[in-house]
Amino acid sequence: MIGDRKVLFSGMQATGNLTLGNYLGALKNWVNIADEYLTFFSVVDLHSITVRQDPAQLRKQARALLTLYIAAGLDPEKNCIYYQSHVSGHAELAWILNCFTYMGELNRMTQFKDKAAKHADNINAGLFTYPVLMAADILLYQADVVPVGKDQLQHLEITRDIAQRFNAIYGDVFTVPVPYVGKAGAKIMSLQDPAKKMSKSDENPNASIYLMDDPDTILRKFKRAVTDSEGQILYREEQPGIKNLIDIYCACAEKTPQETEKEFEGRGYGEFKAAVGEAVVSVLRPLQEEFARLSGEKAYLDGIIKQNGEKAEYYALKTLRKVQRKVGFPERIR
């Protein structure tokens, strides 16, 4: 809590291209709830380097992601939109919190095991302590709530454990965050394997809709989407491909599954896939147009990056200085 407003923190990694799943499952939801909180939306580029990155590409993708936040509807005058790497407090607090985190806790993190399996040639310490940096991201701003998916819930739990452990030793230092409870964002699955989430790192380009895909590409990907041989447009677990397409259509056309079933009763899969594609094109067109416009406003974006970076640093330092005093670091002489 800062003043009379609860604090919300969230962020996305500056790697890969955002998908329709990232937009409908998270970014769109951020926009819908932003006015309820004092918000910090970070481009978490420190997290990105647990995997080797091309430096020029990482800078380009970080700027594109920050621009997308704004293009999606997050007002940078009301929301603190900033680069994680521009606020040194993230890394400084992460080191301190490393000293209050147990190896056994980190060994239990399932995401580390998954990522280590994918990057067996680069199992670095940063990959192992990734959850501690995430804890620092959240605790640095005294966040009350954090919107997280099921795959990140374990990381929020260890954040709570670290905060409570620190508070038990030094007093009431950190706000203990809770997961955001509200209308969940749509969970969008792969178009080629509806048993797994749509991912920006999927090797099959037809599995994901990227936010900058042009209309022809979007329609083609939906045309190739995996369905089944039942021939009925019904919202049920037995038809995961169709269920996923209905979820996407409902999120974009603002309809319920029941309304969608009724609308497409007796109609074929081909017609339904085309309708879903058109609905997605309609939703993404204004975002793409605003992204293109903002990308040309270099001075404006540079100003946002500077102002919001300074704002984030101001709040971060308030927490960091308190933590430094608590653990016994010497006072700074100004």
Side-chain angles (χ1 to χ4, degrees), residues 17-20 23 27 64-65 67-69 71-72 208-218 221 284-293 295:
N17 298 309
L18 288 197
T19 69
L20 182 68
Y23 176 67
L27 190 49
L65 180 55
T67 305
L68 266 173
Y69 284 180
S208 302
I209 302 294
Y210 299 105
L211 296 191
M212 292 298 121
D213 278 349
D214 62 74
D216 288 344
T217 299
I218 292 170
K221 286 182 179 181
L284 293 187
R285 182 179 291 115
L287 182 148
Q288 292 174 349
E289 290 173 350
E290 182 64 1
F291 177 82
R293 185 190 71 79
S295 296

Side-chain angles (χ1 to χ4, degrees), residues 50 102-104 106-107 109 112 124-132:
T50 57
Y102 300 130
M103 295 285 286
L106 295 175
N107 275 325
M109 296 292 107
F112 168 72
N124 56 72
L127 194 63
F128 187 65
T129 60
Y130 183 105
V132 185

